[in-house]
């Protein structure tokens, strides 16, 4: 087994792949993190205050969240990738493990993002769609962009995070699913899609009412998860697993209100996409011929840096930049311009032979790029155009020029430190290949051990109700297992993926909502759970998890329910502009059903049930009095 693993790793280590997928993965990971940080900023008082708005225990939380947002933005755009990925990893560690997020507001994907971010640290993040790639070129401004070839990376940089973060996760999840009756009945996707607390605003009833289709989806998920780890990397199957995984996680994102989990999983498919698809899609998107040719002064450092910058963002390659001293004479449209005049401005010629100069050239470049066209059109607005022309003239007329020979084009010494990826994977920095392959094989074996420990501990022993305290030996092994679980759980995000199983839905036959009486005595719904029982946006993701998985469960814990009623009324009451002390909140309950066998129109039946009042809540200063029946489950 070990020999086969070494051979596989050696093959992937030697195989070259386009850097596009890594760059896209980094960009999407940064954006998903950024939206989650903005979510935390919006719900800051609900999540982190002991009593929202009334008892602020962590006033510095918003400051650190804004630091995290800045870090995530830097990671998304690829600015100082090495430092940004490490800082982002530390933010995930701290917020997930040392704040109320860890216990009461689990987003369902926090540990997954932590593990993914761990692998980001070791990936070649600056090779595609990254500001760092531009910074590297700007250190040698007289080297034309055409001298840089297409960036490639080791295929191992794609496969390692996919195997650990997706393959292990899927296999562990499939083990747990085998113990759930509704999953064995092929209804794993159907049941949560029929429960009011878990669905999005998108009405999927027409799909849910096709029994054979729902069972086909359920069994497909199980087969997909069991086989992914072993088959996805094979060339003839990779496209299939890419399309299946993309479809399944897109379905989660659209149909459930746990969209962060769906998006977090979706971004990994930037690494699963077949390498050849990146090449073909790139060739299809890029212009076969430039629609605009721009002429610049090759002896001007500022002009060369401008060209490198504009070309870096011209991802569709629709603009061609050429030194005016060499190529201007080949274009009849520029024949009326003397050499001296050509050096005073940036000139461009489009496909119809029209000539542009100065600010008009920049505007035309932005329009030609396609996605930046609105910025180019805005530059032509009368007042803005006049101001830009003055600024451009002041810079263009005072720029420095160099008398260059061939030495200008020689690359300057690269003072930047090599990244973790370079020191591990690339020959001029790396340890010898044979030694490296064995080291990485041993690391992967350790990761496999961590995952097996989690899957056996929770997926088998826990599910089979094995008592590990029967003997001193099994008790000692259990303690060792728990120690490994704590380490792998915290730093690598390896955790049981027992989501939406029978022990979650069994007995889930009621849901709660909160209304209030306005100043005229009219009953209104708090912007939290609506009349149908759906959690309203933006109360999705980790706020959904707090209410649907912790506060309201098949067996309600009265203390925890009262805690979250307090938090929700204080937060949304304040957000809605209510005077808490003068507002009576009403707690309502509605019956639902969560069967493990298929029923037609279950989603609509669960949404259309009637509500009954079961309690109330009133604030007095910082104290809340909540009246609830002794046993809600018995109602």
């Amino acid at each position: 087994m070990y020999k086969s693993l070494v051979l596989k790793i050696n093959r992937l280590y030697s195989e070259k792949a386009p850097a596009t997928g890594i760059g896209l993965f980094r960009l999407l990971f940064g954006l998903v993190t950024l939206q989650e940080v903005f979510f935390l900023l919006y719900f800051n008082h609900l999540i982190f205050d002991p009593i929202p708005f009334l008892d602020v225990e962590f006033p510095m939380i918003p400051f650190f969240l804004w630091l995290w947002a800045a870090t995530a933005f830097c990671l998304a755009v690829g600015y100082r990738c090495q430092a940004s990925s490490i800082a982002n990893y530390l933010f995930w560690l701290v917020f997930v493990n040392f704040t109320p997020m860890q216990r009461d507001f689990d987003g369902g994907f926090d540990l997954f993002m932590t593990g993914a971010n761990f692998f980001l640290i070791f990936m070649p993040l600056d090779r595609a769609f990254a500001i760092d790639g531009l910074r590297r070129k700007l250190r040698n401004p007289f080297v034309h962009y055409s001298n840089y070839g297409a960036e490639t990376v080791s295929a191992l940089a794609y496969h390692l995070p996919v195997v650990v973060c997706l393959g292990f996760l899927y296999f562990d999840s499939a083990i747990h699913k085998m113990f759930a009756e509704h999953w064995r009945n092929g209804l794993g996707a159907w049941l949560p899609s029929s429960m009011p607390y878990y669905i999005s605003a998108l009405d999927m009833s027409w799909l849910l009412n096709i029994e054979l289709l729902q069972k086909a989806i359920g069994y497909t998920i199980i087969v997909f998860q069991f086989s992914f780890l072993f088959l996805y990397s094979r060339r003839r199957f990779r496209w299939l697993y890419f399309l299946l995984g993309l479809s399944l996680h897109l379905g989660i994102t659209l149909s459930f209100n746990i969209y962060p989990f769906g998006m977090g999983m979706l971004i990994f498919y930037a690494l699963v996409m077949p390498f050849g698809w990146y090449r073909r899609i790139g060739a299809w998107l890029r212009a076969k011929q430039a629609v605009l040719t721009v002429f610049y002064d090759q002896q001007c450092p500022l002009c060369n840096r401008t060209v490198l910058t504009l070309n870096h963002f011209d991802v569709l390659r629709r603009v061609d930049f050429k030194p005016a001293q060499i190529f201007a004479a080949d274009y009849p449209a520029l024949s009326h311009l003397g050499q001296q005049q050509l050096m005073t401005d940036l000139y461009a010629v489009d496909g119809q032979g029209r000539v542009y100069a100065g600010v008009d050239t920049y505007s035309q470049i932005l329009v030609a790029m396609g996605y930046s066209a609105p910025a180019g059109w805005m530059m032509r607005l009368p007042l803005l155009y006049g101001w830009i022309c003055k600024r451009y003239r002041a810079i263009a007329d005072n720029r420095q020029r160099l008398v260059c020979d061939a030495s200008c084009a020689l690359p300057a010494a690269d003072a930047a430190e090599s990244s973790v990826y370079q020191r591990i994977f690339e020959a001029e920095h790396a340890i010898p290949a044979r030694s490296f392959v064995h080291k990485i094989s041993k690391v992967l074996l350790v990761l496999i051990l961590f995952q097996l420990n989690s899957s056996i501990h929770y997926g088998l022993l826990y599910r089979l109700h094995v008592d590990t305290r029967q003997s001193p030996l099994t008790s000692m092994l259990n303690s060792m297992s728990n120690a490994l679980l704590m380490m792998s759980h915290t730093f690598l995000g390896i955790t049981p993926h027992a989501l939406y199983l029978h022990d979650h839905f069994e007995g889930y036959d009621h849901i709660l909502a909160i209304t209030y009486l306005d100043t005229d005595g009219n009953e209104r719904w708090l912007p939290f759970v609506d009349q149908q029982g759906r959690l309203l946006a933006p109360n999705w993701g980790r706020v959904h998890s707090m209410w649907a998985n912790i506060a309201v469960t098949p067996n309600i814990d009265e203390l925890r329910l009262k805690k979250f009623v307090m938090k929700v009324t204080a937060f949304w009451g304040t957000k809605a502009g209510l005077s808490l002390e003068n507002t009576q909140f009403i707690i309502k309950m509605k019956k639902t059903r969560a069967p493990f066998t298929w029923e037609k129109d279950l989603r609509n039946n669960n949404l259309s049930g009637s509500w009954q009042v079961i309690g109330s809540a009133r604030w007095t200063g910082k104290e809340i009095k909540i009246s609830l029946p002794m046993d809600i489950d018995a109602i």
Side-chain angles (χ1 to χ4, degrees):
M1 177 184 170
Y2 178 74
K3 185 177 180 180
S4 298
L5 182 64
V6 170
L7 291 174
K8 179 75 171 177
I9 289 177
N10 185 58
R11 183 180 67 78
L12 294 174
Y13 172 65
S14 304
E15 181 184 348
K16 291 300 178 183
T20 313
I22 302 287
L24 185 61
F25 175 72
R26 185 214 70 244
L27 170 63
L28 295 174
F29 186 92
L31 291 177
V32 170
T33 301
L34 189 60
Q35 71 82 29
E36 193 63 18
V37 176
F38 286 149
F39 182 95
L40 291 172
L41 281 164
Y42 184 83
F43 284 104
N44 161 40
H45 291 285
L46 176 66
I47 295 173
F48 301 107
D49 291 356
I51 305 175
F53 296 108
L54 301 179
D55 183 9
V56 181
E57 187 171 314
F58 307 104
M60 288 294 288
I61 284 287
F63 171 75
F64 287 107
L65 285 174
W66 280 113
L67 284 182
W68 190 3
T71 300
F73 178 78
C74 288
L75 185 62
V77 300
Y79 178 70
R80 300 195 179 275
C81 295
Q82 186 80 82
S84 297
S85 61
I86 294 172
N88 203 60
Y89 175 68
L90 293 175
F91 274 119
W92 276 111
L93 278 182
V94 170
F95 272 90
V96 169
N97 291 286
F98 300 104
T99 73
M101 283 170 55
Q102 187 268 344
R103 175 176 172 82
D104 296 333
F105 292 89
D106 175 19
F109 80 135
D110 294 337
L111 292 172
F112 174 77
M113 294 293 280
T114 302
N117 205 147
F118 174 81
F119 281 96
L120 269 176
I121 297 171
F122 303 94
M123 295 170 74
L125 305 179
D126 60 346
R127 305 299 176 87
F129 311 123
I131 298 296
D132 281 356
L134 173 61
R135 293 173 62 234
R136 191 166 55 248
K137 292 176 183 176
L138 291 178
R139 285 196 290 268
N140 306 309
F142 290 98
V143 177
H144 193 265
Y145 59 80
S146 60
N147 292 318
Y148 295 97
E151 292 279 10
T152 60
V153 299
S154 169
L156 195 58
Y158 279 81
H159 287 283
L160 276 179
V162 170
V163 165
V164 176
C165 296
L166 280 190
F168 288 179
L169 181 153
Y170 286 151
F171 195 81
D172 178 78
S173 180
I175 292 173
H176 286 279
K177 286 177 172 62
M178 290 297 94
F179 290 90
E181 182 181 347
H182 66 291
W183 274 105
R184 293 196 302 270
N185 292 337
L187 301 175
W190 171 82
L191 182 57
S193 300
S194 302
M195 300 295 289
Y197 275 173
Y198 295 88
I199 58 179
S200 70
L202 189 64
D203 187 351
M204 306 292 286
S205 300
W206 62 279
L207 279 176
L208 299 174
N209 285 334
I210 306 174
E211 181 180 2
L212 288 177
L213 177 61
Q214 290 304 309
K215 289 185 176 181
I217 292 173
Y219 289 128
T220 297
I221 292 172
I222 293 175
V223 173
F224 172 83
Q225 292 191 329
F226 266 128
S227 61
F228 181 91
L229 184 60
F230 308 102
L231 297 178
Y232 95 91
S233 62
R234 298 189 181 185
R235 185 167 298 178
R236 65 179 179 273
F237 292 129
R238 190 163 183 175
W239 67 271
L240 177 62
Y241 279 87
F242 170 75
L243 293 178
L244 272 176
L246 203 66
S247 301
L248 294 173
H249 291 298
L250 186 61
I252 290 173
T253 306
L254 294 176
S255 60
F256 293 152
N257 57 19
I258 53 170
Y259 71 93
F261 174 81
M263 293 194 302
M265 300 295 286
L266 273 174
I267 62 177
F268 255 89
Y269 281 82
L271 304 179
V272 179
M273 182 189 287
F275 300 143
W277 288 23
Y278 277 116
R279 298 185 182 98
R280 286 193 286 272
I281 291 172
W284 176 66
L285 288 175
R286 292 192 183 106
K288 303 297 183 290
Q289 186 176 357
V291 299
L292 188 72
T293 304
V294 179
F295 301 89
Y296 66 97
D297 179 3
Q298 70 177 137
Q299 292 183 324
C300 165
L302 175 61
C303 301
N304 280 273
R305 289 190 173 93
T306 300
V307 165
L308 288 173
T309 302
L310 291 171
N311 173 261
H312 182 79
F313 292 101
D314 181 23
V315 293
L316 301 181
R317 299 296 180 260
R318 295 169 60 86
V319 183
D320 191 13
F321 296 88
K322 295 184 176 182
Q325 291 93 330
I326 300 174
F327 293 99
D330 299 335
Y331 287 78
L334 300 177
S335 59
H336 65 286
L337 299 173
Q339 186 74 10
Q340 186 63 35
Q341 189 176 356
L342 278 170
M343 298 303 105
T344 61
D345 267 319
L346 196 68
Y347 285 89
V349 178
D350 65 15
Q352 286 74 44
R354 291 187 290 261
V355 178
Y356 305 89
V359 172
D360 292 330
T361 295
Y362 283 99
S363 173
Q364 202 62 27
I365 289 171
L366 294 174
V367 172
M369 286 183 185
Y371 71 92
S372 58
W377 296 327
M378 285 183 62
M379 287 179 64
R380 299 171 185 173
L381 296 174
L383 293 177
L384 186 59
Y385 180 82
W387 180 82
I388 294 175
C389 284
K390 289 179 182 178
R391 296 299 305 156
Y392 170 79
R393 199 73 268 155
I395 295 171
D397 293 343
N398 293 282
R399 60 189 169 87
Q400 292 184 339
R401 299 182 73 241
L402 299 178
V403 179
C404 273
D405 54 23
S407 64
C408 285
L410 292 177
D414 194 347
E417 292 185 7
S418 58
S419 65
V420 173
Y421 170 83
Q422 288 175 313
R423 291 196 291 271
I424 294 176
F425 286 90
E426 296 189 341
E428 62 269 28
H429 302 281
I431 56 180
R434 184 180 180 85
S435 175
F436 163 77
V437 169
H438 280 280
K439 287 181 183 296
I440 207 71
S441 299
K442 292 172 183 175
V443 169
L444 186 55
L445 282 176
V446 171
L447 294 175
I448 292 172
L449 173 64
F450 284 151
Q451 182 60 62
L452 284 175
N453 177 56
S454 178
S455 296
I456 293 172
H457 189 109
Y458 288 110
L460 295 178
L461 299 181
Y462 172 78
R463 294 289 173 190
L464 294 172
H465 307 290
V466 176
D467 186 0
T468 56
R469 295 169 295 179
Q470 290 181 343
S471 70
L473 177 60
T474 57
S475 181
M476 180 188 69
L477 291 174
N478 184 63
S479 298
M480 292 172 60
S481 173
N482 282 324
L484 285 177
L485 283 169
M486 181 175 293
M487 184 173 68
S488 61
H489 177 94
T490 302
F491 297 103
L492 299 174
I494 294 176
T495 190
H497 296 281
L499 301 176
Y500 296 171
L501 300 186
H502 65 292
D503 45 8
H504 181 87
F505 288 114
E506 189 171 16
Y508 211 133
D509 57 6
H510 50 256
I511 57 176
L512 304 183
I514 303 173
T515 62
Y516 65 93
L517 299 179
D518 65 15
T519 53
D520 297 324
N522 299 315
E523 184 179 9
R524 299 188 181 276
W525 291 78
L526 209 61
F528 186 61
V529 176
D530 71 1
Q531 293 93 324
Q532 291 182 312
R534 288 192 307 104
L535 280 154
L536 296 172
N539 300 287
W540 292 357
R542 62 183 74 252
V543 176
H544 149 87
S545 180
M546 171 274 292
W547 189 254
N549 300 338
I550 301 175
V552 182
T553 63
N555 299 294
I556 291 178
D557 183 312
E558 183 183 354
L559 289 177
R560 293 183 71 76
L561 174 60
K562 287 184 175 179
K563 171 185 175 180
F564 293 120
V565 168
M566 175 271 294
K567 277 184 165 282
V568 169
T569 54
F571 180 82
W572 278 116
T574 303
K575 282 276 189 181
L578 304 178
S579 171
L580 294 183
E581 291 197 12
N582 297 319
T583 303
Q584 179 181 352
F585 295 94
I586 302 167
I587 302 170
K588 294 191 163 192
M589 186 185 77
K590 180 171 75 168
K591 290 288 186 177
T592 58
R593 299 189 68 255
F596 293 161
T597 55
W598 185 83
E599 291 183 11
K600 186 176 181 179
D601 229 18
L602 179 65
R603 180 185 188 275
N604 289 332
N605 291 337
N606 278 338
L607 290 175
S608 61
S610 59
W611 295 91
Q612 65 179 110
V613 175
I614 63 166
S616 63
R618 273 193 175 277
W619 282 92
T620 304
K622 292 186 179 181
E623 300 290 331
I624 186 172
K625 182 179 180 181
I626 300 173
S627 300
L628 284 170
M630 294 294 292
D631 187 0
I632 294 176
D633 297 329
I635 297 177

